[in-house]
Amino acid sequence: MEGGDRIEESSSVRLLSRRPSGSSGGGGGGGSESRWVDGSEVDSESPPWSLVDGNEGREGFGTLRRRLAKKPKRVDSFDVEAMEISGAHGHHAKEISTWQTVALAFQTLGVVYGDMGTSPLYVFADVFSKVKIDSDVDVLGALSLVMYTIALIPLAKYVFVVLKANDNGEGGTFALYSLICRYAKVNMLPNRQPADEQISSFKLKLPTPELERALTIKEALERKSSLKILLLLLVLTGTSMIIGDGILTPAMSVMSAVSGLKGQVQGFGTNAVVGVSIFILIALFSIQSFGTAKVGFLFAPVLALWFFSLGCIGVYNLFKYDITVVRALNPMYIFLFFKKNSSQAWSALGGCVLCITGAEAMFADLGHFSVRSIQIAFTFVVFPCLLLAYMGQAAYLMKFPHATERIFYDSVPESLFWPVLVIATLAAMIASQAMISATFSCVKQAMALGCFPRLKIVHTSRKQMGQIYIPVINWFLMIMCIVVVSIFRNTTDIANAYGIAEVGVMIVSTILVTLVMLLIWQTNLFVAILFPLVFGSIELIYLSAVLTKLLEGGWLPLVFATFFLCVMYTWNYGSVLKYQSEVREKISMDFMQELGSTLGTVRVPGIGLLYNELVQGIPSIFGQFLLSLPAIHSIVVFVCIKYVPIPVVPQEERFLFRRVCEKDYHMFRCIARYGYKDVRKEDHHAFEQLLVESLETFLRREAQDLALEGSLNELDHDSVSITSRESRIPSGEGYEEELRIPLMEEGTSFTEDNAIATTLPSSIMSSDEDPSLEYELSALREAIDSGFTYFLAHGDVRAKKNSFFLKKLVINYFYAFLRRNCRAGAANMSVPHMNILQVEMTYMV
């Protein structure tokens, strides 16, 4: 045993395996050379505790005695979950300097604020398509509505509250859901383990008994399956709306920018606007495969120039036409606006909501930046520039009230028209790029949490794991964008659809953040109620306004959302039923004991890696392999690829190991844990090498634990004998005092260090290895020389004959169609296309 190694309190074993060249994995600590694997799931001969060696963190003599006294009843290793130590690694975010924060804030302009930054292209045009300008009240009321909408939703809600509800620096709807899943067991897939809570980035802080409100909410969520389903549907609805945004944003932004040519170039009509927009959209989606890093290296400078142009043009118009529009800071004009226009003003409210399109991107794209950088960029650049832009347009309308259709381009000084048009077109493409990338990230998170069919994911950057490209989603978005532009042919109808998608996502965020406040932050009840009361009321008012446009294009995002909601819920529902069937039909320990160590067949040299989804127990598919094959490998490892509800699992905490059955069976379990942002790009040769090194170290540490337990059992017997002769402690005292006090009273100098050292057997104090360990290691080396074989299972799910018609329809047709057309088998498991054995199995649910 090397001096730097330790066996921790929870009986976990640390595998010291160098990281093979060429292996990669997402997650912090990727450069570390250690792996953590488990030792608590060994067979019934293994100790349920371990001892610390080395000079730090030694266990006291009494503590060891107490652990022996309180040793729990042994259970079969099949049903014991893998355990990991707590606080083994400290993964603290590095403090970034002020200049780094400023640099990040500059970069956010190109990624986060493109959508919101292009809203001045179409907001007033849409608002005044519903309300005719008859007096100053119309202009000042609309301006006041826009100003206070931006101040309340993006600034007050997102910048100061929602950004703080991040999941270890990750934002978005699924990030909130994963955060809630960690604090309450609401995930529909029942594969959570206590070991997951010990991952350093898990940061679990369960509600204390004193906070009855938080405990009540937690227990209600865990107890009632209806609440779990409702929460999942809410999250899936929000995600569907974001995907809908990925369709509408490119169409709306590009078409708004191109429409500037309509009144400037002779003969450039609606057909030309549609044609040029489609051409730009095809070009935009065609370059996605090159990756965000290559496509967007000029994003931030272009958007910075765009915001600078907005501010300057706004100031120019403000002083040239009518500076008195600053009166709109008085919210009384909102009341006068509604009083004068009544129902038309209510309809115009749907256009006003477009000024905050992209506000959700502030939270969804948080993983690429930091909370402080996003706050700085919005507060000091985006917010003032947008206010100046809208005030400048309002000042122009005070002078030219009939210029509403092309208000943005008409308000631009004539000498600057063409430069601004070019910048606006680039800004529109950048805004589209931001939502396309957000859609890719959202789909990947949904896939990792078992809520979306598995698709091919291309990682376009070796440095930034969040930069991905999903071909199927990309071409689907492109086709839908072209269809939307071709059908609607103008920005007004697209804007009607756009508003519903935006408000829907905001309402979902408000509900989830409120739940985070109550369950996790344990906020004061008054504050927790005030948040949804204020912001939820505003968003519901906007929702009621945009729903009035349901027949004027508002139906489109609802169709998109319904489609993706059905796809995601069907996949999640089928996956949960399949997992429950695998758990229900797993092979029993009694059956394995009847088969014996030969497993009822011939064991030939080699290592068989059987991929399955179970985190404990032996999958029934293993029985199918035993029946189908004339022989089975001498060493069998059950490999489980599991996603946990955190963004990233540190590389050194990724793997858990355990022994399955007795030693002579030579069967093990390896659980590889990934976060929803982790990148799985391990080369199978590197994975094999890592697994072998981990398994060898696991066997050595297991042998040391067994020898150590035998030694301490002898010590336990001797100590009890001494206590019975010499102890003056009353018979009701605890074991710890019985063992320690007599030795101290005899005057023996018995420190913690020499207490441990004097009890270690010679097999542990020396580097010699016992014969049984040597036998296992030699068998392992022989198996390595014979090579690896990958066992894959193609599990089909069918509804029982007596099931409801709807269940048969969903499982036998919809879910079966998704499984047939999703990525599966060797491609999904990242295993080589050679040395594969695959069997099919049907589960009746």
Side-chain angles (χ1 to χ4, degrees), residues 645-662:
I646 58 176
V648 173
V649 175
Q651 183 73 2
E652 64 270 21
E653 300 179 49
R654 187 174 309 285
F655 299 101
L656 296 177
F657 260 76
R658 60 165 285 186
R659 184 187 289 276
V660 179
C661 299
E662 287 77 13

Side-chain angles (χ1 to χ4, degrees), residues 126 130 244 248 484 487-501 546-560:
D126 189 78
K130 310 296 189 300
L248 296 174
V484 168
I487 292 177
F488 287 98
R489 300 177 67 83
N490 65 80
T491 58
T492 301
D493 289 340
I494 298 177
N496 294 338
Y498 203 12
I500 292 180
V546 296
L547 285 177
T548 60
K549 304 177 182 180
L550 198 60
L551 301 179
E552 302 172 20
W555 54 269
L556 186 63
L558 297 182
V559 171
F560 287 147

Side-chain angles (χ1 to χ4, degrees), residues 118-131:
T118 55
S119 60
L121 288 169
Y122 45 77
V123 169
F124 276 156
D126 189 78
V127 168
F128 291 115
S129 68
K130 310 296 189 300
V131 175

Side-chain angles (χ1 to χ4, degrees), residues 137 211 278 317 376 403 438 469 499 562 577 660 663 670 714 786:
V137 171
L211 297 174
I278 290 176
N317 290 330
I376 290 174
Y469 165 67
T562 302
L577 289 181
V660 179
K663 276 189 175 184
C670 172
E714 295 176 5
S786 300

Side-chain angles (χ1 to χ4, degrees), residues 716-770:
D716 177 44
H717 176 74
D718 295 341
S719 300
V720 172
S721 299
I722 295 173
T723 301
S724 64
R725 293 194 312 268
E726 304 182 38
S727 177
R728 294 191 294 271
I729 301 298
S731 58
E733 293 293 332
Y735 284 109
E736 179 182 7
E737 296 299 318
E738 288 179 355
L739 182 61
R740 179 159 33 103
I741 292 180
L743 294 172
M744 294 174 64
E745 289 181 344
E746 290 294 325
T748 306
S749 175
F750 197 88
T751 65
E752 293 178 0
D753 288 358
N754 62 32
I756 295 174
T758 56
T759 62
L760 292 177
S762 57
S763 60
I764 290 187
M765 296 300 290
S766 67
S767 59
D768 296 335
E769 293 168 340
D770 60 77

Side-chain angles (χ1 to χ4, degrees), residues 15-18 20 35 37 606-609 635 637 639 655 657 668 670 684-700 776-777 779-788 790:
L15 292 189
L16 299 176
S17 57
R18 61 182 177 84
R35 301 289 183 272
V37 297
I607 297 179
L609 303 180
I635 294 179
V637 181
V639 181
F655 299 101
F657 260 76
F668 306 89
C670 172
H684 70 276
H685 293 298
F687 181 80
E688 292 170 1
Q689 183 180 357
L690 173 63
L691 184 142
V692 167
E693 292 175 350
S694 301
L695 185 55
E696 182 176 345
T697 309
F698 173 79
L699 294 174
R700 294 181 185 277
E776 279 205 287
L777 291 178
L780 176 60
R781 297 185 188 103
E782 182 182 1
I784 295 171
D785 294 336
S786 300
F788 290 79
Y790 292 82

Side-chain angles (χ1 to χ4, degrees), residues 89-104:
H89 298 276
H91 295 275
H92 305 289
K94 294 182 178 179
E95 294 292 335
I96 59 176
S97 66
T98 303
W99 287 112
Q100 287 176 318
T101 302
V102 172
L104 281 176

Side-chain angles (χ1 to χ4, degrees), residues 211-218 517-518 522-525 528:
L211 297 174
E212 295 183 2
R213 169 170 49 85
L215 270 179
T216 302
I217 296 172
K218 178 178 182 292
M517 284 181 168
L518 293 171
Q522 299 163 4
T523 310
N524 179 274
L525 188 60

